[in-house]
Amino acid sequence: MSDTSPEVPILRRLDDLRALTRAWRRAGERIAVVPTMGALHAGHISLVAAARTRAERVIVTIFVNPRQFNSREDYEKYPRTEEADAVLLEPFAVDAVFVPAEHEVYPEGFATTVSVSGLTAPLEGEYRPGHFDGMSTVVTKLLTMTSADCAMFGEKDWQQLQVVRRMARDLNLDCEIVPCPTVREPDGLALSSRNQRLTHDARAMSAALPRALLGAAAEIAEGRAPGPVLETARAAVLGAGFDSIDYLELRDAETLGPAIEGRPARLFVAAWAGPVRLIDNVPIAVPAG
Ligand code: PAF
């Protein structure tokens, strides 16, 4: 990625970003941010498009945050595709792409952690200890570093979205958290940077994940007991070739606690295809009474 590309203005230093955002603010312009870890795909582009409709200025941040990975190996293997990211962003005339070095985000002596309790305990929290602390800390930093009025988050990471909403509310961050729908491949697989790491065979069977979720969601909405429906869905995922399932669960969409009749609920899954862990979720209409 060339720092001098006129189409995609890359900034690596916070001082340079601040100079820009201060000028924009003086001109009365709103700022929208799309926080990413790079390896951009059409899902990210949908966030950029949503950002464009909400603010005069759009910043995309690209930072592979070491503090939200559970293993050094996963962090190191996370795809880094700066050149391709720049090419993908070019048609969208973003006003700045902020690509900070690690020391810019976590300077020597950095000692602060933002930690949200409750919402972070189940699902990803159970299987990825520390992940949400790392995520919440970096998102707080990215929102303040960019002085954003609004920030776009994909519904594919539904639990992350709820945690960020709670954190923004609790810390009185003056930044609207905007949810954006999951973007899917034609066969239903949710777009994710991790999909790049799927083998040909794993990619071929991975649509079994959304298929199982959507099938189970439809059956529960029709009034079938969730227990056996979820068992059948788990069997379908493993039968398709996934190696293991961390969770496939029905939960309240907002609190992430047990689903309650008449309240919005969602089905959540995390499953392993070889070394690649995929997550997904779908809404479900839990029948009242
Ligand atoms: O969803 C992601 O890509 C990351 O968790 C985020 C929000 C960019 C923070 O590192």
Side-chain angles (χ1 to χ4, degrees):
M1 193 184 280
S2 154
D3 288 18
T4 54
S5 162
E7 296 87 359
V8 185
I10 309 297
L11 301 173
R12 297 186 191 272
R13 296 186 51 246
L14 179 57
D15 286 349
D16 296 337
L17 180 69
R18 284 252 158 92
L20 261 188
T21 56
R22 284 194 184 119
W24 293 341
R25 290 211 156 277
R26 274 198 300 275
E29 294 173 327
R30 273 174 62 83
I31 301 171
V33 66
V34 179
T36 82
M37 296 205 298
L40 301 182
H41 50 63
H44 295 111
I45 295 305
S46 76
L47 304 183
V48 173
R52 273 260 83 98
T53 67
R54 288 179 172 262
E56 286 83 13
R57 299 294 182 176
V58 174
I59 302 173
V60 174
T61 66
I62 297 179
F63 179 63
V64 184
N65 175 31
R67 295 188 180 224
Q68 70 184 79
F69 285 83
N70 297 96
S71 79
R72 191 76 206 166
E73 190 194 352
D74 194 24
Y75 169 69
E76 274 160 12
K77 289 211 167 134
Y78 199 85
R80 286 155 173 90
T81 57
E82 270 202 24
E83 294 287 339
D85 291 349
V87 170
L88 206 60
L89 286 174
E90 252 174 37
F92 298 92
V94 298
D95 297 282
V97 182
F98 182 48
V99 191
E102 190 174 338
H103 63 81
E104 196 75 18
V105 179
Y106 301 119
E108 183 73 24
F110 186 83
T112 300
T113 300
V114 177
S115 188
V116 176
S117 59
L119 282 172
T120 54
L123 304 172
E124 291 299 283
E126 196 178 331
Y127 288 88
R128 302 187 63 192
H131 163 71
F132 283 122
D133 283 2
M135 183 281 293
S136 303
T137 303
V138 85
V139 168
T140 305
K141 292 207 58 150
L142 292 171
L143 301 192
T144 51
M145 283 167 141
T146 56
S147 311
D149 296 287
C150 57
M152 313 293 130
F153 288 87
E155 291 183 348
K156 180 187 161 271
D157 296 300
W158 184 268
Q159 188 174 13
Q160 168 172 282
L161 170 64
Q162 301 312 312
V163 171
V164 169
R165 273 178 162 159
R166 166 57 60 196
M167 178 191 86
R169 211 176 306 156
D170 288 355
L171 297 180
N172 306 107
L173 298 183
D174 194 11
C175 179
E176 183 192 357
I177 306 303
V178 181
C180 300
T182 302
V183 179
R184 296 181 181 278
E185 298 281 7
D187 67 359
L189 179 66
L191 295 194
S192 163
S193 306
R194 289 174 199 272
N195 295 354
Q196 292 184 20
R197 291 180 53 211
L198 292 169
T199 63
H200 182 265
D201 287 352
R203 172 63 192 88
M205 62 85 178
S206 57
L209 212 55
R211 212 166 34 242
L213 283 188
L214 288 169
E219 289 193 33
I220 294 169
E222 280 163 15
R224 288 203 49 207
V229 171
L230 297 184
E231 263 323 303
T232 306
R234 285 182 197 109
V237 169
L238 295 174
F242 277 87
D243 296 292
S244 62
I245 297 173
D246 282 351
Y247 55 79
L248 196 164
E249 290 180 22
L250 172 65
R251 291 196 167 252
D252 186 280
E254 212 176 300
T255 66
L256 304 180
I260 296 171
E261 280 183 4
R263 275 184 54 79
R266 290 185 95 88
L267 278 179
F268 296 88
V269 69
W272 290 88
V276 184
R277 186 172 181 275
L278 298 180
I279 63 170
D280 200 353
N281 70 90
V282 297
I284 178 166
V286 178

Short mmCIF file of all heavy atoms in Angstrom, two decimals, residues 102-127:
data_model
loop_
_atom_site.label_atom_id
_atom_site.label_comp_id
_atom_site.label_asym_id
_atom_site.label_seq_id
_atom_site.Cartn_x
_atom_site.Cartn_y
_atom_site.Cartn_z
N GLU A 102 1.82 -0.99 15.96
CA GLU A 102 1.41 -1.44 17.30
C GLU A 102 1.78 -0.40 18.37
O GLU A 102 0.98 -0.12 19.27
CB GLU A 102 2.04 -2.81 17.61
CG GLU A 102 1.47 -3.43 18.85
CD GLU A 102 1.98 -4.85 19.09
OE1 GLU A 102 2.43 -5.51 18.13
OE2 GLU A 102 1.92 -5.29 20.26
N HIS A 103 2.98 0.19 18.26
CA HIS A 103 3.41 1.13 19.32
C HIS A 103 2.59 2.42 19.31
O HIS A 103 2.55 3.16 20.29
CB HIS A 103 4.91 1.43 19.21
CG HIS A 103 5.29 2.13 17.93
ND1 HIS A 103 5.13 3.47 17.75
CD2 HIS A 103 5.78 1.65 16.76
CE1 HIS A 103 5.52 3.79 16.53
NE2 HIS A 103 5.92 2.70 15.91
N GLU A 104 1.94 2.71 18.17
CA GLU A 104 1.09 3.90 18.09
C GLU A 104 -0.20 3.68 18.91
O GLU A 104 -0.73 4.59 19.52
CB GLU A 104 0.76 4.15 16.61
CG GLU A 104 0.22 5.52 16.28
CD GLU A 104 1.28 6.61 16.29
OE1 GLU A 104 2.48 6.32 16.21
OE2 GLU A 104 0.88 7.79 16.41
N VAL A 105 -0.67 2.44 18.90
CA VAL A 105 -1.90 2.10 19.63
C VAL A 105 -1.56 1.77 21.10
O VAL A 105 -2.28 2.18 22.01
CB VAL A 105 -2.62 0.92 18.96
CG1 VAL A 105 -3.88 0.54 19.71
CG2 VAL A 105 -2.96 1.26 17.50
N TYR A 106 -0.50 1.01 21.29
CA TYR A 106 -0.10 0.60 22.64
C TYR A 106 1.31 1.09 22.93
O TYR A 106 2.28 0.34 22.83
CB TYR A 106 -0.15 -0.93 22.76
CG TYR A 106 -1.51 -1.52 22.49
CD1 TYR A 106 -1.70 -2.42 21.44
CD2 TYR A 106 -2.61 -1.19 23.28
CE1 TYR A 106 -2.95 -2.98 21.19
CE2 TYR A 106 -3.87 -1.72 23.02
CZ TYR A 106 -4.02 -2.62 21.98
OH TYR A 106 -5.26 -3.15 21.73
N PRO A 107 1.44 2.38 23.28
CA PRO A 107 2.79 2.89 23.56
C PRO A 107 3.38 2.22 24.79
O PRO A 107 2.65 1.66 25.61
CB PRO A 107 2.56 4.39 23.79
CG PRO A 107 1.09 4.59 23.88
CD PRO A 107 0.39 3.37 23.43
N GLU A 108 4.68 2.30 24.87
CA GLU A 108 5.44 1.79 26.03
C GLU A 108 4.70 2.16 27.33
O GLU A 108 4.35 3.33 27.54
CB GLU A 108 6.83 2.45 25.98
CG GLU A 108 7.80 2.02 27.04
CD GLU A 108 8.32 0.61 26.77
OE1 GLU A 108 8.31 0.17 25.60
OE2 GLU A 108 8.71 -0.05 27.75
N GLY A 109 4.47 1.17 28.18
CA GLY A 109 3.86 1.45 29.48
C GLY A 109 2.34 1.45 29.45
O GLY A 109 1.70 1.73 30.47
N PHE A 110 1.75 1.12 28.33
CA PHE A 110 0.29 1.11 28.23
C PHE A 110 -0.28 0.18 29.30
O PHE A 110 0.12 -0.97 29.42
CB PHE A 110 -0.13 0.62 26.83
CG PHE A 110 -1.61 0.71 26.59
CD1 PHE A 110 -2.18 1.90 26.18
CD2 PHE A 110 -2.44 -0.39 26.79
CE1 PHE A 110 -3.55 1.99 25.97
CE2 PHE A 110 -3.80 -0.30 26.58
CZ PHE A 110 -4.36 0.90 26.17
N ALA A 111 -1.25 0.70 30.10
CA ALA A 111 -1.66 -0.07 31.27
C ALA A 111 -3.17 -0.07 31.50
O ALA A 111 -3.63 -0.35 32.60
CB ALA A 111 -0.96 0.51 32.51
N THR A 112 -3.94 0.27 30.45
CA THR A 112 -5.38 0.41 30.64
C THR A 112 -6.13 -0.70 29.89
O THR A 112 -5.79 -1.02 28.76
CB THR A 112 -5.83 1.78 30.10
OG1 THR A 112 -5.14 2.78 30.84
CG2 THR A 112 -7.33 1.98 30.26
N THR A 113 -7.15 -1.26 30.57
CA THR A 113 -8.00 -2.25 29.90
C THR A 113 -9.45 -1.83 30.08
O THR A 113 -9.86 -1.45 31.17
CB THR A 113 -7.81 -3.64 30.55
OG1 THR A 113 -6.44 -4.02 30.39
CG2 THR A 113 -8.69 -4.69 29.88
N VAL A 114 -10.20 -1.88 29.00
CA VAL A 114 -11.65 -1.64 29.08
C VAL A 114 -12.31 -3.01 29.12
O VAL A 114 -12.09 -3.84 28.23
CB VAL A 114 -12.14 -0.83 27.87
CG1 VAL A 114 -13.65 -0.64 27.93
CG2 VAL A 114 -11.43 0.51 27.79
N SER A 115 -13.08 -3.25 30.18
CA SER A 115 -13.64 -4.58 30.38
C SER A 115 -15.14 -4.47 30.65
O SER A 115 -15.55 -3.81 31.59
CB SER A 115 -12.92 -5.23 31.57
OG SER A 115 -13.30 -6.57 31.67
N VAL A 116 -15.94 -5.12 29.81
CA VAL A 116 -17.40 -5.11 29.97
C VAL A 116 -17.78 -6.44 30.62
O VAL A 116 -17.38 -7.50 30.12
CB VAL A 116 -18.09 -4.98 28.59
CG1 VAL A 116 -19.60 -5.06 28.72
CG2 VAL A 116 -17.67 -3.67 27.92
N SER A 117 -18.54 -6.38 31.70
CA SER A 117 -18.91 -7.66 32.35
C SER A 117 -20.27 -8.13 31.84
O SER A 117 -20.97 -7.41 31.14
CB SER A 117 -18.91 -7.49 33.86
OG SER A 117 -19.84 -6.49 34.22
N GLY A 118 -20.65 -9.32 32.21
CA GLY A 118 -21.97 -9.85 31.88
C GLY A 118 -22.09 -10.34 30.45
O GLY A 118 -21.95 -11.53 30.17
N LEU A 119 -22.25 -9.39 29.53
CA LEU A 119 -22.43 -9.75 28.12
C LEU A 119 -21.25 -10.55 27.56
O LEU A 119 -21.38 -11.25 26.56
CB LEU A 119 -22.53 -8.47 27.28
CG LEU A 119 -23.84 -7.70 27.27
CD1 LEU A 119 -23.64 -6.38 26.54
CD2 LEU A 119 -24.91 -8.53 26.60
N THR A 120 -20.10 -10.38 28.18
CA THR A 120 -18.89 -11.02 27.65
C THR A 120 -18.67 -12.43 28.21
O THR A 120 -17.72 -13.10 27.81
CB THR A 120 -17.65 -10.17 27.99
OG1 THR A 120 -17.66 -9.97 29.42
CG2 THR A 120 -17.66 -8.84 27.30
N ALA A 121 -19.57 -12.87 29.12
CA ALA A 121 -19.32 -14.17 29.77
C ALA A 121 -19.64 -15.37 28.87
O ALA A 121 -18.83 -16.30 28.78
CB ALA A 121 -20.10 -14.25 31.08
N PRO A 122 -20.81 -15.41 28.19
CA PRO A 122 -21.13 -16.62 27.45
C PRO A 122 -20.49 -16.65 26.06
O PRO A 122 -19.74 -15.75 25.70
CB PRO A 122 -22.67 -16.54 27.32
CG PRO A 122 -22.95 -15.07 27.25
CD PRO A 122 -21.89 -14.40 28.10
N LEU A 123 -20.81 -17.68 25.29
CA LEU A 123 -20.47 -17.80 23.87
C LEU A 123 -18.98 -17.56 23.64
O LEU A 123 -18.14 -18.28 24.15
CB LEU A 123 -21.35 -16.84 23.04
CG LEU A 123 -22.88 -17.05 23.22
CD1 LEU A 123 -23.66 -15.95 22.51
CD2 LEU A 123 -23.33 -18.41 22.72
N GLU A 124 -18.61 -16.50 22.90
CA GLU A 124 -17.20 -16.25 22.62
C GLU A 124 -16.40 -16.06 23.90
O GLU A 124 -15.24 -16.44 23.98
CB GLU A 124 -17.06 -15.00 21.74
CG GLU A 124 -17.57 -15.18 20.32
CD GLU A 124 -16.83 -16.26 19.59
OE1 GLU A 124 -15.70 -16.03 19.15
OE2 GLU A 124 -17.38 -17.37 19.45
N GLY A 125 -17.04 -15.45 24.90
CA GLY A 125 -16.35 -15.18 26.16
C GLY A 125 -15.89 -16.46 26.83
O GLY A 125 -14.84 -16.51 27.47
N GLU A 126 -16.71 -17.51 26.68
CA GLU A 126 -16.37 -18.78 27.32
C GLU A 126 -15.19 -19.45 26.60
O GLU A 126 -14.34 -20.07 27.25
CB GLU A 126 -17.60 -19.68 27.27
CG GLU A 126 -17.53 -20.85 28.19
CD GLU A 126 -18.80 -21.70 28.13
OE1 GLU A 126 -19.89 -21.15 27.84
OE2 GLU A 126 -18.67 -22.91 28.36
N TYR A 127 -15.15 -19.31 25.29
CA TYR A 127 -14.13 -20.03 24.51
C TYR A 127 -12.91 -19.19 24.19
O TYR A 127 -11.88 -19.71 23.76
CB TYR A 127 -14.75 -20.58 23.22
CG TYR A 127 -15.67 -21.73 23.52
CD1 TYR A 127 -17.01 -21.52 23.82
CD2 TYR A 127 -15.17 -23.03 23.59
CE1 TYR A 127 -17.84 -22.58 24.15
CE2 TYR A 127 -15.98 -24.09 23.91
CZ TYR A 127 -17.32 -23.85 24.20
OH TYR A 127 -18.13 -24.91 24.55
#
